[in-house]
Amino acid sequence: MTVAEAADEEWVFTTILIKINHSTRILVQDQQTSCSSLALGAAKKIQVQVDQQLKDLKDKSKIEEFDKMHAEWKNKLESFPLDLQKQKLKKFACDEEDYRFVCLSLTQALFILGIFVSYDPVVGSNGDITPITCCTRGIDLNKEVIDILCPADCTVEQFSIFGNLVYATLSSICGAAVHSGVITTLGGAITMKRLPGQESYPSVYANGVLSQKFAKWGSSFSVSKIKTRALAASGKPKATVLPPTGKRQKKTPEKKMGNKDCKADIAFLIDGSYNIGQRRFNLQKNFVGKVALMLGIGTDGPHVGLVQASEQPKTEFHLRNFSSAKDVLFAIKEIGFRGGNSNFGKALKQTVQTFFTALNGVRKGIPKVIVIVVDGWPSDDIEEAGNLAREFGINVFMVSVAKPTPEELGMVQDIGFIDKVVCRNNGFFSHYIPNWFGTTKYVKPLIQKLCSHEHLLCSKTCYNSVSIVFLIDGSSSIGDTNFRMMLDFTANVAKAFEISEIGTKIGAVQFTYDQRTEFSLNDYNTKEDILVALRGIRYMSGGTATGEAISYTVNNLFKTMKDGHKNFLVIITDGQSYDDVRGPATSAQNAGITVFSVGVAWAPPEDLKTMASDPKDSHTFFSQEFTGLEQIAQDLVKGVCQDFLSSQAA
């Protein structure tokens, strides 16, 4: 949570003490050696100033709770000798996890109370530059003007910044320098100048960093590029103390294009119900904003939109509205809390049916993703909407925060709602966060999943979104042994596809003068059942009427074709038909069915090409021997995929 948001809430003081208590407990339990320097009197300073703040609080009930928790914290710390207290307090920056925890949690809590834990300035080797950490604030340094060296490993998540160009002194100095464009995250040397306090520090997005709004603070600072001439005149070597100052870099086309390795059309479906409330709703927006910022939004990268779920769903913005992280962050910030029931089933169904359209900015051939963020549980049934999302080829992720307690389980309509709504119940699409504090560490794992296209199993592909019917010649010229090879060929083709209730469908018809449906497109929903069914087909024997068989298949099997699936007819024959094939094949193609013809032995090439779709050469296969069918199987699968991709790009 941000300082500004916390300051507006009644419960802030209890939250602060929970953070302080948790932080110091970590320090007390950790016996490791110091690796950063806090002032020797930090503990006493905290105690004195907390006591002073208590005098200013008007809510007596909060004071009692505050006092109790603070006493517990103080007693734990004072149970150690003074030198060990010092060692514990010096541990704050020993590793990335502790460092970020202190920067983003404990120190922000102390800021709200006006409690200042000062860092000892570390003098540089030349006596002029003071190296600092990524989280060092303006208030931590006492000089009116000071030259500072920012490290090269700072990340945006470590910066707490309030204002624009003129920053409240509780802001990160290095963060302010990056925000103002004086340096980049590669670090560099800067000059910080102390300024008077002011009112209304604005929130501005600049240079990849979003500063935060703050109402009023007693002191400010500005940052600028260091004056290298003065350093040279003093006789101090510049090269050894001054890395590149990191001038504001020009925006390159690469950045505008976005993260090309993470192409996806993503809809965030966030919780706007009374379950989450106004306070946690703002924290939720912060989390979604962090995800959007790190995704790499751009014209050739991810595109995002957002829908708020409440009593009635509301689309806040579409995929086509914004093509930069900056604009998306501003749009998220402006979203208002709606309230009402958490009708995620209704919201998901509407998002699936209306959000991913060309008019709204969806791109062909790009994975479609919905990220549901729910605080608690849905108020309505969500299973039907989850099934609909899978049918539409949309990958649904669920980010659940604060699972229902045992006492609350009776209020949950379906305790298994997560497994029923996500793309696959395999753990990959479910993302659990215990609470709304410290959500930054959950951002990167979620983004890695969203950008792992090979794991987005619900995306429509040539392997999971086609319907294929094998039209198998059962005439007497083939013989039982060769007929078995034809069945093996169909099985080898079917193996390549993802067959399921919402995936690829397979059917089979055998023909001579007569036709026999071996199984329809909806008879089997697993690959195992399809393979057994194909290999179990009994040889008919008889004449060859291919044209009539094509008409039969179109009228009896493709009438049940699945919406959204591309339809393929694979004709396998060894001889010339006794009837006309041109008319039935043309009718099939006019009905949207792509025809592949596979000929063996005496099958006339002219008939094969007449039946095949255009271009004829890529839809016609021939082998002089039945044993050659094995080599054709993979080429046929590739042909199906090429046609599917062409249809998606059209």
Side-chain angles (χ1 to χ4, degrees), residues 76 186 194 259 368 379 446 471 516 614 618 644 649:
K76 284 186 176 181
L186 296 177
R194 185 78 74 135
N259 182 4
K368 301 177 185 65
S379 301
L446 176 59
L471 184 54
R516 184 172 74 196
D614 292 325
S618 62
F644 177 85

Side-chain angles (χ1 to χ4, degrees), residues 308-479:
Q308 184 178 172
S310 54
E311 192 71 38
Q312 298 294 333
K314 179 186 178 184
T315 300
E316 302 290 352
F317 56 89
H318 289 288
L319 296 167
R320 60 177 166 79
N321 291 137
F322 308 111
S323 59
S324 72
K326 172 184 175 181
D327 294 335
V328 169
L329 287 173
F330 277 121
I332 292 174
K333 180 182 176 183
E334 295 301 315
I335 295 173
F337 175 65
R338 291 175 62 81
N341 289 323
S342 55
N343 291 331
F344 274 94
K346 181 186 294 185
L348 178 59
K349 186 175 182 180
Q350 175 179 299
T351 305
V352 168
Q353 293 177 328
T354 66
F355 189 88
F356 294 97
T357 66
L359 183 63
N360 292 335
V362 74
R363 296 169 291 177
K364 289 190 175 182
I366 302 297
K368 301 177 185 65
V369 177
I370 295 177
V371 180
I372 300 175
V373 186
V374 59
D375 185 302
W377 57 89
S379 301
D380 60 350
D381 178 65
I382 201 169
E383 183 176 5
E384 180 184 352
N387 291 333
L388 189 66
R390 288 186 285 272
E391 290 179 5
F392 275 68
I394 300 172
N395 298 273
V396 176
F397 286 80
M398 173 72 80
V399 178
S400 59
V401 184
K403 291 180 179 178
T405 64
E407 294 77 16
E408 294 172 330
L409 286 177
M411 304 167 60
V412 183
Q413 181 172 336
D414 185 353
I415 60 175
F417 69 90
I418 294 177
D419 293 341
K420 294 178 180 178
V421 73
V422 294
C423 168
R424 293 287 190 276
N425 180 19
N426 58 6
F428 181 82
F429 295 89
S430 305
H431 206 68
Y432 174 65
I433 299 177
N435 54 60
W436 285 112
F437 301 106
T439 57
T440 300
K441 63 183 177 182
Y442 297 99
V443 172
K444 185 175 180 181
L446 176 59
I447 289 175
Q448 289 173 335
K449 290 182 177 182
L450 297 178
C451 296
S452 300
H453 290 180
E454 67 276 13
H455 293 108
L456 301 183
L457 303 178
C458 287
S459 297
K460 286 188 179 296
T461 69
C462 64
Y463 298 107
N464 64 18
S465 300
V466 297
S467 296
I468 302 173
V469 175
F470 295 106
L471 184 54
I472 306 168
D473 189 345
S475 60
S476 55
S477 59
I478 293 174

Side-chain angles (χ1 to χ4, degrees), residues 571-604:
I571 304 168
I572 314 162
T573 181
D574 80 324
Q576 187 169 12
S577 176
Y578 291 115
D579 61 357
D580 173 64
V581 296
R582 183 182 300 275
T586 301
S587 297
Q589 294 167 30
N590 290 339
I593 301 168
T594 300
V595 180
F596 285 91
S597 57
V598 180
V600 190
W602 301 281

